[in-house]
Every structure is written in C-alpha cells, then in structure tokens.
Amino acid sequence: MNRFHFSRNYSILASVTLVLASYSACSGEKDEPSILEIRDLLDSGHLIESVQKAKDKALITGKMDQVHYLRGWIHYLRKEDPSAEKEYKLCLKENKNSIDCLRGLAQIEKHKLNYEKAETRYKQALVIAQATKDQEYSSMLLTDLGNLALSQDEREEALDWYNKSIQVKPEGSAYYGLGFVYLLNRDKVASIQSLKKGLGTEYRDLIIKAETYYLLAKLQNDFEKNPKAASESAKKAFELFPAMEKYSKSWEQYSKLSSSK
C-alpha cells in the first residue's frame, strides 16, 4: 500500500500486549522488548520513499498535509506525542479528510486513555473511508475500533467490530483480535479456529502474522497437546522474525517435546 501507515500503531497494542501479558503470567516468561518497536523500525525503512512522495505532492499541489503527517509520525515514533499531535492537526488544516491524520490523532488519544475522543476520531476517519468506498481503510479502522473496545475489556463490542472488519475485507489482524477475545472468554476452540482463518488471509502487519503463529503454537501445545503442530507454527513465527528470541525458544521447546514422544 502506498499510504502513510507508519505510526507506533497503538491500534493493535491492546491485543498484542494483552496476549503477551496473559501468557507471560501463565508461563513465567519475562517481558521482551516491545514487538511494536521492532515493527516501527521495519516501517522506518520506507521513510525515504515516503518523504519523497510527500515532497512531490507538496510541489505539485502546494498542499503540505502528507509532509505534516510524516513529521507527526516521526515525533510519534520518538514518543513525542504533543509534537505529533500538533503536526497531525496542521495536516488536517491542509486536508480535513486525511484519514491518516485523523487516525494518528485517535492513536494519541488512545495512548492518553481518552477512549471517547479516540473513538470519535476513528469514526470520523471511518465515515470518510466508507464514503470513498475504500475497503482497505474501512477494514483497518473497524479493526482499530475493535482494539479500542478490547483495551477497555468490552469484549462483545470488540467481537462486533472485528466481524464488521472481516465482512469488509478479510485480514489477519481482525482474526487475531477475534482469536484473542475468544481466548479471554475461555473458548480455546474458537480461538484456534479464528487464528487459523487469519493465517489464510493477508496481513497488513507481518509482525501480527508472526504473533498469530506464536499464539497458535502455544494453544496447540498447551490445549491441543500437539507439540509437533506447535513446533511447526513456532518455526513459521521464527522464519518471519528470527531476531525475536521468544520465537526461537518456543520452536526449540516444542521441537524437543515433539521428539520426546
């Protein structure tokens, strides 16, 4: 996608963090560096290309909205939320229909735990996406709303948003959200089914795909008592992000369990 989706992305923070926290508490694992920070480092590899596109647009149209968005993203990546917020608002002065900047403000509000304001911004962006019949943005924002509900432990509402997202465009992040809510509700069968369905779709974020494999591996080992399948899933997570130590450790652990049977 040639769009600017390079923020710290707190829209998926709830599901990722809660999954890791839940399993860390159960297994005694120590927290590792934030997966989202690794995602942002990967995203930053597109910065030069994005800056050039923003510059080209500004020269052609005289509009600086994408430039302000990029500046906001850089501040946000540095965890300088006030500066990021200022740039996003300048972006909206240039282009009131900038979905990226509305979404960026929503993420900041969510980070500040201003959930009602975050929801308002997400919904403003969603109205624009739906009006322009942009399925990619609509699906992403519906998933954002699901994650926002999940961060407040509003599970039924979260399920509703995730399902709406999937109806617009099946994508792995929404299925991951579903899988996590079902896991919270102790429905491990439905959780596994959702994770597997997600793996049959595309992912906007490969780190979420890796996390899907990682979570699925845990369920396959702990619930299904199938270390062989768990080993295969953990291996796929490792192949996507070999730098993540927990992926290599889980692959090693499940492989040993599988070979001992």
Side-chain angles (χ1 to χ4, degrees):
M1 281 173 59
N2 294 323
R3 288 171 176 158
F4 303 103
H5 295 149
F6 304 117
S7 58
R8 275 181 295 169
N9 202 356
Y10 280 93
S11 63
I12 57 174
L13 180 59
S15 54
V16 175
T17 302
L18 287 171
V19 166
L20 296 179
S22 298
Y23 269 97
S24 294
C26 293
S27 63
E29 295 176 0
K30 294 182 180 179
D31 291 338
E32 291 189 353
S34 170
I35 284 179
L36 297 178
E37 291 188 14
I38 293 176
R39 167 203 153 87
D40 291 331
L41 287 172
L42 295 171
D43 280 344
S44 66
H46 302 290
L47 180 58
I48 295 175
E49 177 188 357
S50 301
V51 169
Q52 186 60 49
K53 287 181 179 178
K55 179 182 174 182
D56 291 344
K57 180 184 177 183
L59 290 172
I60 294 170
T61 67
K63 294 288 186 179
M64 294 283 290
D65 53 306
Q66 290 180 337
V67 173
H68 285 303
Y69 177 74
L70 280 172
R71 289 174 181 168
W73 166 70
I74 291 169
H75 285 301
Y76 194 45
L77 186 60
R78 293 172 178 168
K79 302 183 181 179
E80 300 166 352
D81 286 0
S83 296
E85 184 175 6
K86 179 180 178 181
E87 291 292 343
Y88 291 148
K89 287 181 176 178
L90 287 171
C91 165
L92 291 173
K93 284 185 177 181
E94 294 277 340
N95 177 11
K96 66 179 181 180
N97 291 325
S98 172
I99 294 175
D100 285 319
C101 291
L102 286 168
R103 185 170 181 257
L105 287 174
Q107 290 168 327
I108 289 174
E109 295 295 350
K110 184 182 177 187
H111 185 211
K112 294 190 291 187
L113 306 183
N114 294 333
Y115 296 125
E116 289 186 9
K117 290 183 178 180
E119 182 176 355
T120 297
R121 291 294 192 182
Y122 281 134
K123 287 183 175 178
Q124 287 175 337
L126 180 60
V127 167
I128 296 168
Q130 290 175 332
T132 57
K133 298 182 179 179
D134 191 315
Q135 291 184 321
E136 186 70 30
Y137 265 130
S138 296
S139 172
M140 178 174 62
L141 289 160
L142 288 164
T143 298
D144 287 337
L145 285 162
N147 292 331
L148 183 66
L150 183 58
S151 67
Q152 300 167 78
D153 200 30
E154 296 173 352
R155 301 178 192 179
E156 291 304 314
E157 184 177 346
L159 286 173
D160 185 51
W161 286 121
Y162 292 138
N163 280 313
K164 286 178 179 177
S165 175
I166 290 166
Q167 289 171 10
V168 172
K169 184 178 185 293
E171 193 272 334
S173 298
Y175 278 112
Y176 179 81
L178 282 178
F180 177 57
V181 176
Y182 287 131
L183 184 59
L184 283 178
N185 291 339
R186 301 182 185 280
D187 189 344
K188 295 180 180 179
V189 172
S191 180
I192 291 171
Q193 289 174 345
S194 295
L195 295 173
K196 287 183 175 180
K197 284 181 181 178
L199 290 169
T201 69
E202 65 175 316
Y203 281 76
R204 279 184 287 269
D205 307 296
L206 285 181
I207 191 66
I208 301 302
K209 186 173 186 178
E211 280 296 295
T212 302
Y213 277 122
Y214 177 69
L215 179 56
L216 178 61
K218 283 183 171 291
L219 286 168
Q220 287 171 326
N221 184 73
D222 300 347
F223 174 64
E224 294 185 331
K225 308 301 180 184
N226 188 345
K228 181 179 180 181
S231 174
E232 292 171 355
S233 295
K235 179 183 178 182
K236 290 177 180 177
F238 171 78
E239 288 173 343
L240 285 169
F241 286 94
M244 291 295 292
E245 186 179 2
K246 68 176 185 177
Y247 296 160
S248 60
K249 284 186 174 180
S250 63
W251 180 25
E252 180 182 7
Q253 175 191 352
Y254 302 141
S255 295
K256 287 181 179 178
L257 289 172
S258 178
S259 62
S260 64
K261 286 194 172 183

